[in-house]
Amino acid sequence: MLTLLDQLDKGTLWRSPGGIHPPEVKFLSNATPIGQLPLASMYLVPVPQVGENCTLAVKVGDSVLKGMPLTQGTSIWHLPVHAPTSGTIVAIEPRASNHASALPVNTCVIAADGKDTWCELVQNQLDDLSHQQIVDKVRSAGIAGMGGAAFPTHIKLNPVSEIDLVIINGVECEPYISADDRLMREYSQDILAGIGIIHRLLTPKRIVIAIEDNKPEAAKAMQTAVSQCGLPAGSIRVTVIPTKYPSGGEKQLIQIITGREVPSGAIPAKLGIVVHNVGTAYAIHQAVTQGKPLVERVVTVTGKNVSKPGNYWLPIGTPVDHVLTATEFTPEPDQKVIIGGPMMGHALANIQVPILKGTNCILVPSSQEIGNTPEEKACIRCGECATACPALLLPQQLFWHAKAEEYDKAASYNLKDCIECGCCSYVCPSDIPLVEYYRIAKSALKQAADEKQQAERAKQRFDARLARLEEEKLAREAKAKEASERRQASMTGTDKNAVAEAMARIAAKKAAAAQAVTGESITEESSVTTTDTTEVPKGKAAVAAAIARAKAKKAAQANADGTDTNGAETDRAKTDNAVNVDANDSISATDAIAQEAPLSQKDKVAAAIARAKAKKAAQQTDTAPLESTETADNTPALSADDDKKAKVAAAVARAKAKKAAQQAETAASDIEVSNTEISVSDVNDAEAIKKAKVAAAVARAKAKKAAQQAETNAENGLNQTTTPAVDSAANVHADVNADAETAVNAAATDIEVSNADVSVNDAEAIKKAKVAAAVARAKAKKIAAASAESKTDAEIESVDEIQTEANVASPSIAATLDTATTEADAVLPSVGSTAEPIETAPLSSDELKKARIAATIAKAKAKKAALAQEANASSDSSVTND
């Protein structure tokens, strides 16, 4: 059985699927040798042309020489771009591209100086260069595939696998184009020199030069060159293949020469085959041996609307309009200028575009050669496109999906294997531009792939950034840990204790914050209670009941005072009963409230409003009898009954004064507790809680002692003054207000001092204690001002109201009031039977001051009682007269 090499030596050929036989029309351009055109005034060099990741090596205003590199880069896919002639860089800006879309690309604009001066070229002997040096020279020369694909040549010359066969493509199957034909005829020796360099780099077993049978002159010239080259005999041969389009395609040519099919998505190198164009072989020879970069190429300028058709050496970057002008182009209306052949080329939207490395033809056909574009009609599903496809694809399916923009489905039908040969469009009876649909679909897929690649790169950069930040964080933590260990190693015992205490305080603050969020209250062991804001309907009912009972007792007492005329004993009994009932009811109401949950803020506000309304109603009720007795103050003397009633009223007033003092003590204690609660809840320090307990106990003891002293002084003052106290009661109103304000300020000062002692060692606690003291002073001043502005009757009514509030607010206050009532009952008989002054021990100045306050309050109460008795007497006399 013959091997592949044996079959190649015998010239065995295989048939390729599909293909068409369009008119060739090569005679317009292949009859004359390759010529030269005059230099253009401006050259447009797009950057980059092939590859990516390049940077400009020049700037505007730089002078350049022919062959000087304009770009530089390190990527393996980068190919440098060189100046096509000598001149000056006048602009670097976006210009229209040599593409059907005419999208702008970054372009170096060179103003030619007309000298066309080469830069310094380095010529080398092939034997003096290594393989890598040869590849580097090919790359630095910017050589790309000259057949139209413009694939970087240096990559093909350095494959990763062993190469058995090298095919030199001289087929040039597309109509009108004859650039390779003329090149093989005129430069066959240079092409064979380039093939020798390829053979040295790849060391293949066979090299085949493939030429279509419609180029007999080219085939003969290449056969002569092969016989004269220095390559081993039998390693290279010229093979003539039948003319058929697109037999010049890479995969189609491999199938014709070897009978092998390149798998979908694979490259020929996987089969051990490499394909190079004859123009590429010529450029390799120029670059390696003469040091010339790729700055010009052979371009076919053809068509019946060109007066001088032919093949020309055109510098890369030459504007198309300059070429057409030099070849005496005569345009027609709606004239088309096509880059490439009639099958695979594209029409230009703008002729102010440059010649590129892959440009092999400029076609300007007349209307007789290529008519107007026919109107696209519906597909009739004839299947001609599938029969003509050389890649064995399903053009009809690709068309449906491309038209519906279902690009993923089109890709599933191997859209990427389409070589855009145009056979399907050529045979379509419905004149559907199938290739245009495929190109659009390929562009969309390429754009999606680029975006996905960019997103993947961005993700990689983001992940790298996160990893870097994490490493930096770990490094900082390690550094901080090392510094902490060094500090701890050098720390003394006192410093360690301070750190531990600070950490404990921080933990306590966090615990307090968490406790405040969850609504938990501090336990009763800390002697501080937290007010619960939850509404308690039963507590509100108890408050309302207590207030109602207080109002009823007050109304009953007023009625009894207005209608009873049976004497002082009856009045005394009523007074005693009223006091006892008031105390008992208050205690019972307080006990009922104590059994329920504490009042909320809303309930307290409602109770305060109810008290204010009751006070206003009581004042309106008492106004009428007081108006009728305003002249009673001028009475010169009191009767025996009146004197007795005054004594009884003074005793009651003394009991009420004691209750008011105890209420003041309780209010001060409440303020102290609330302030301590704020400080303790914020500070949450064990020592602060302990000091708060001590301060609260001290404050309560002081208040209790002051109340007892005031009670004793009041009793002494009452016994010494008796009846004259009633006469002078009206003269001490100002003293009452002043002394009351002094006492309240003193109590507030005590509270402030006790609060300030709560947490001396904690700055935050001291600050909160100061705030609490200021609040207490403000409340005290407000109470003193209200006491000074109100009248005596309003003061006494306020005392009664405060008593009711105390009964409702606290069981301890209620119990204290009960004790005061009992003491008043014990005092009343002694008041009635004693007329002599009681001897008392000398008092200090502070005790005398407090005694004066208590005596003044007692005088005010006695005055009120006297006024009430006179009002009752007046009412009785008026009834008798009636």
Side-chain angles (χ1 to χ4, degrees):
M1 182 177 179
L2 296 177
T3 63
L4 176 61
L5 296 179
D6 295 336
Q7 292 177 354
L8 290 175
D9 292 340
K10 284 190 173 186
T12 304
L13 299 176
W14 283 262
R15 291 180 60 88
S16 64
I20 57 175
H21 294 274
E24 297 176 5
V25 200
K26 293 180 181 288
F27 62 89
L28 291 176
S29 59
N30 63 0
T32 57
I34 301 174
Q36 292 278 353
L37 293 178
L39 291 175
S41 60
M42 289 287 180
Y43 286 84
L44 309 174
V45 184
V47 288
Q49 288 188 29
V50 179
E52 56 183 10
N53 299 331
C54 74
T55 57
L56 282 170
V58 294
K59 60 182 182 296
V60 176
D62 289 352
S63 296
V64 294
L65 298 176
K66 185 176 182 179
M68 182 181 292
L70 302 178
T71 62
Q72 58 187 6
T74 58
S75 172
I76 189 175
W77 293 98
H78 169 69
L79 282 182
V81 180
H82 301 80
T85 186
S86 59
T88 304
I89 305 294
V90 295
I92 301 176
E93 61 188 10
R95 293 289 185 96
S97 63
N98 186 343
H99 190 267
S101 64
L103 292 174
V105 295
N106 203 26
T107 304
C108 286
V109 181
I110 301 175
D113 57 8
K115 298 178 182 179
D116 200 29
T117 305
W118 276 94
C119 65
E120 183 179 357
L121 301 177
V122 179
Q123 298 183 1
N124 299 283
Q125 293 296 324
L126 186 60
D127 296 337
D128 298 336
L129 300 174
S130 65
H131 283 42
Q132 188 59 45
Q133 287 175 335
I134 293 174
V135 173
D136 291 342
K137 279 186 169 293
V138 171
R139 178 186 178 185
S140 62
I143 299 174
M146 308 290 284
F151 189 84
T153 301
H154 69 277
I155 296 177
K156 283 187 175 183
L157 294 177
N158 191 23
V160 295
S161 59
E162 184 179 355
I163 301 301
D164 297 327
L165 176 63
V166 173
I167 299 176
I168 304 300
N169 188 353
V171 174
E172 197 173 40
C173 61
E174 188 156 1
Y176 285 91
I177 304 176
S178 60
D180 293 344
D181 182 14
R182 292 308 307 186
L183 188 66
M184 287 187 290
R185 290 188 197 184
E186 301 178 29
Y187 297 93
S188 58
Q189 295 295 332
D190 293 330
I191 294 172
L192 259 296
I195 294 173
I197 296 172
I198 295 172
H199 182 271
R200 178 179 174 179
L201 294 174
L202 301 178
T203 63
K205 297 178 180 179
R206 294 291 187 274
I207 297 177
V208 175
I209 302 173
I211 303 173
E212 275 189 324
D213 57 8
N214 61 353
K215 304 176 182 66
E217 295 86 355
K220 184 178 180 180
M222 291 303 296
Q223 187 66 47
T224 303
V226 166
S227 62
Q228 296 175 358
C229 72
L231 294 176
S235 63
I236 183 171
R237 68 185 307 271
V238 176
T239 299
V240 179
I241 65 173
T243 299
K244 185 175 71 169
Y245 179 83
S247 58
E250 184 178 57
K251 294 183 179 181
Q252 285 70 36
L253 183 58
I254 291 173
Q255 191 168 8
I256 293 172
I257 298 296
T258 67
R260 296 182 180 181
E261 182 178 355
V262 179
S264 175
I267 59 175
K270 289 188 176 182
L271 299 178
I273 302 173
V274 170
V275 179
H276 286 285
N277 185 266
V278 292
T280 305
Y282 175 83
I284 291 173
H285 166 68
Q286 292 286 310
V288 174
T289 60
Q290 299 182 19
K292 289 183 178 181
L294 181 59
V295 295
E296 60 182 1
R297 67 158 297 151
V298 179
V299 179
T300 300
V301 181
T302 185
K304 291 186 177 180
N305 285 341
V306 177
S307 300
K308 297 179 180 180
N311 293 282
Y312 301 92
W313 285 105
L314 297 180
I316 306 300
T318 304
V320 172
D321 63 338
H322 169 74
V323 176
L324 295 179
T325 301
T327 55
E328 299 179 1
F329 168 55
T330 56
E332 294 180 355
D334 299 328
Q335 176 68 56
K336 288 185 178 180
V337 177
I338 300 172
I339 294 296
M343 301 301 295
M344 299 184 67
H346 58 269
L348 293 176
N350 184 359
I351 62 175
Q352 295 289 336
V353 296
I355 299 296
L356 303 178
K357 294 179 180 181
T359 303
N360 56 3
C361 180
I362 299 176
L363 176 62
V364 282
S366 65
S367 58
Q368 289 79 19
E369 295 175 278
I370 299 179
N372 296 327
T373 303
E375 182 181 357
E376 177 183 342
K377 295 176 283 292
C379 175
I380 61 175
R381 306 193 181 195
C382 61
E384 291 293 331
C385 57
T387 303
C389 180
L392 297 177
L393 300 177
L394 296 175
Q396 182 180 352
Q397 293 298 119
L398 295 175
F399 163 67
W400 292 123
H401 294 309
K403 188 175 183 179
E405 299 183 0
E406 298 172 347
Y407 302 130
D408 293 339
K409 293 183 179 179
S412 67
Y413 282 90
N414 299 321
L415 175 64
K416 62 180 178 298
D417 292 335
C418 175
I419 61 174
E420 302 179 17
C421 61
C423 292
C424 53
S425 300
Y426 183 81
V427 300
C428 181
S430 297
D431 298 321
I432 300 175
L434 297 172
V435 175
E436 298 301 325
Y437 283 104
Y438 304 155
R439 287 174 177 169
I440 292 172
K442 282 184 175 181
S443 299
L445 290 173
K446 184 177 183 299
Q447 182 179 2
D450 292 342
E451 291 176 354
K452 184 177 180 181
Q453 186 177 14
Q454 292 177 2
E456 183 64 25
R457 290 178 180 175
K459 183 178 182 298
Q460 293 176 358
R461 293 196 301 271
F462 180 73
D463 293 340
R465 177 179 178 273
L466 290 182
R468 186 182 70 254
L469 294 177
E470 185 65 21
E471 291 177 358
E472 293 176 355
K473 179 182 177 182
L474 294 176
R476 289 194 301 270
E477 291 178 353
K479 186 176 180 180
K481 185 176 180 181
E482 293 177 359
S484 178
E485 291 175 353
R486 289 195 300 269
R487 287 194 301 269
Q488 290 180 359
S490 61
M491 189 179 296
T492 62
T494 305
D495 296 335
K496 291 181 179 180
N497 293 336
V499 172
E501 292 175 358
M503 295 298 293
R505 286 195 297 272
I506 292 173
K509 289 182 179 180
K510 290 183 178 179
Q515 188 177 12
V517 172
T518 56
E520 296 178 357
S521 61
I522 302 175
T523 59
E524 294 180 357
E525 295 177 356
S526 63
S527 300
V528 181
T529 59
T530 302
T531 303
D532 186 6
T533 58
T534 305
E535 294 186 5
V536 183
K538 292 183 178 180
K540 296 198 311 187
V543 171
I547 293 173
R549 285 195 297 272
K551 291 181 179 180
K553 287 182 288 183
K554 188 172 182 179
Q557 184 177 358
N559 293 332
D561 292 339
T563 57
D564 191 1
T565 56
N566 293 326
E569 294 295 331
T570 304
D571 293 338
R572 175 184 174 185
K574 289 182 180 181
T575 303
D576 294 341
N577 292 334
V579 172
N580 292 331
V581 171
D582 185 43
N584 294 331
D585 290 342
S586 300
I587 293 171
S588 62
T590 306
D591 292 338
I593 295 172
Q595 294 175 0
E596 304 295 339
L599 295 177
S600 65
Q601 188 67 23
K602 184 177 180 181
D603 295 335
K604 292 181 180 181
V605 172
I609 294 173
R611 289 194 299 271
K613 291 182 179 180
K615 178 179 178 181
K616 183 176 181 180
Q619 289 177 350
Q620 293 177 354
T621 304
D622 294 339
T623 301
L626 288 177
E627 290 177 354
S628 60
T629 58
E630 287 180 352
T631 57
D633 293 336
N634 298 325
T635 305
L638 296 177
S639 62
D641 292 338
D642 292 338
D643 186 20
K644 189 175 184 179
K645 290 181 180 179
K647 293 178 180 179
V648 172
V652 173
R654 187 170 61 252
K656 290 186 178 181
K658 182 177 180 180
K659 292 180 185 178
Q662 290 178 347
Q663 181 183 1
E665 174 197 2
T666 304
S669 178
D670 291 341
I671 294 172
E672 176 186 348
V673 170
S674 63
N675 293 333
T676 307
E677 176 184 352
I678 294 174
S679 177
V680 171
S681 62
D682 289 341
V683 177
N684 199 14
D685 192 284
E687 183 151 357
I689 293 174
K690 183 177 179 180
K691 290 186 177 183
K693 291 179 180 180
V694 173
V698 171
R700 285 194 296 271
K702 289 180 179 181
K704 184 174 181 180
K705 181 178 180 181
Q708 292 175 352
Q709 187 68 35
E711 176 186 0
T712 303
N713 295 335
E715 291 179 356
N716 294 334
L718 182 63
N719 292 331
Q720 291 175 1
T721 56
T722 58
T723 304
V726 177
D727 298 333
S728 60
N731 299 326
V732 298
H733 181 71
D735 294 335
V736 170
N737 293 332
D739 294 339
E741 181 178 356
T742 303
V744 172
N745 289 335
T749 303
D750 293 338
I751 293 171
E752 177 182 356
V753 172
S754 63
N755 287 334
D757 294 335
V758 171
S759 181
V760 178
N761 294 328
D762 197 302
E764 186 73 18
I766 293 173
K767 181 178 179 181
K768 293 183 179 295
K770 290 180 178 180
V771 173
V775 173
R777 285 196 299 271
K779 289 182 178 180
K781 290 180 180 180
K782 184 176 180 181
I783 293 172
S787 177
E789 292 175 0
S790 61
K791 294 183 178 181
T792 304
D793 296 336
E795 279 183 342
I796 298 172
E797 291 295 333
S798 298
V799 171
D800 293 339
E801 185 177 359
I802 291 173
Q803 177 185 357
T804 303
E805 292 178 10
N807 293 336
V808 176
S810 175
S812 61
I813 298 175
T816 305
L817 293 178
D818 186 32
T819 303
T821 305
T822 305
E823 294 176 0
D825 293 337
V827 170
L828 288 177
S830 62
V831 172
S833 60
T834 304
E836 296 293 332
I838 299 175
E839 297 291 334
T840 58
L843 299 177
S844 62
S845 60
D846 193 28
E847 292 175 347
L848 289 174
K849 183 178 181 180
K850 291 181 179 180
R852 288 179 57 200
I853 294 172
T856 303
I857 295 174
K859 293 174 185 178
K861 295 292 184 177
K863 180 180 179 181
K864 180 182 177 183
L867 293 175
Q869 293 297 331
E870 291 175 0
N872 292 336
S874 175
S875 176
D876 293 341
S877 61
S878 62
V879 171
T880 304
N881 294 331
D882 292 339

